[in-house]
Amino acid sequence: MSKIEYSVQVRLVSDLAASKDFYEKVLGCEVNDFWAVRDEFALGFKLLQAVEPGDVQPNKKGKDQAAAWDTYAYVDTHNDLDQLYEELKAKGAQFIQEPVLTEADWGAWKEFSITDPDNYSIGFGSGKKD
């Protein structure tokens, strides 16, 4: 079977220039005419100008979901997650969920979410305390 090396999510956006600016300056992506990627394609997007404003359709919340996500990315540890939170906060990210720690019988999950200019939600989480 062939191996997939990476993938990018396609985003229809209302203002391509504003989206490219956000993904580069706030999210820290390398942005060009083909993609917006970070950490060697660990997080990647294909940004496309929408034809009509109604074509931009971020996900709605799922059943029992506190916040909708259009993308969910994982980091290694809670410490890495805290560093990412501080980095995004310093760059002016708009948070729709501040960091939340959830304890379970298997361990602890920590996560937060930000939003882009078109209200696409990007969640970040980690399940390792150390």
Side-chain angles (χ1 to χ4, degrees):
M1 179 184 281
S2 298
K3 180 182 175 188
I4 297 171
E5 295 294 328
Y6 58 86
S7 68
V8 296
Q9 294 183 328
V10 177
R11 292 273 200 272
L12 290 179
V13 298
S14 61
D15 182 334
L16 186 58
S19 290
K20 284 181 172 184
D21 191 59
F22 167 84
Y23 282 85
E24 180 178 11
K25 293 180 180 167
V26 177
L27 202 52
C29 293
E30 170 195 339
V31 177
N32 61 32
D33 289 340
F34 305 104
W35 60 62
V37 297
R38 179 178 167 146
D39 301 329
E40 299 178 25
F41 282 91
L43 184 63
F45 305 92
K46 174 74 173 164
L47 304 173
L48 300 173
Q49 178 63 54
V51 175
E52 300 289 333
D55 294 341
V56 177
Q57 296 184 18
N59 286 335
K60 296 182 189 307
K61 286 191 263 183
K63 184 178 179 186
D64 301 324
Q65 190 178 4
W69 297 307
D70 296 287
T71 301
Y72 201 95
Y74 300 90
V75 298
D76 193 34
T77 68
H78 291 186
N79 185 49
D80 294 331
L81 187 71
D82 292 341
Q83 289 178 20
L84 179 60
Y85 171 80
E86 292 300 330
E87 172 191 329
L88 296 175
K89 185 176 178 180
K91 292 180 178 180
Q94 291 188 9
F95 292 86
I96 53 176
Q97 179 186 351
E98 294 290 329
V100 174
L101 181 66
T102 305
E103 298 283 349
D105 56 354
W106 51 263
W109 186 258
K110 191 172 188 179
E111 65 186 5
F112 67 85
S113 299
I114 66 172
T115 187
D116 83 350
D118 286 301
N119 294 314
Y120 287 108
S121 172
I122 305 167
F124 299 93
S126 173
K128 289 171 35 178
K129 287 186 177 181
D130 300 294

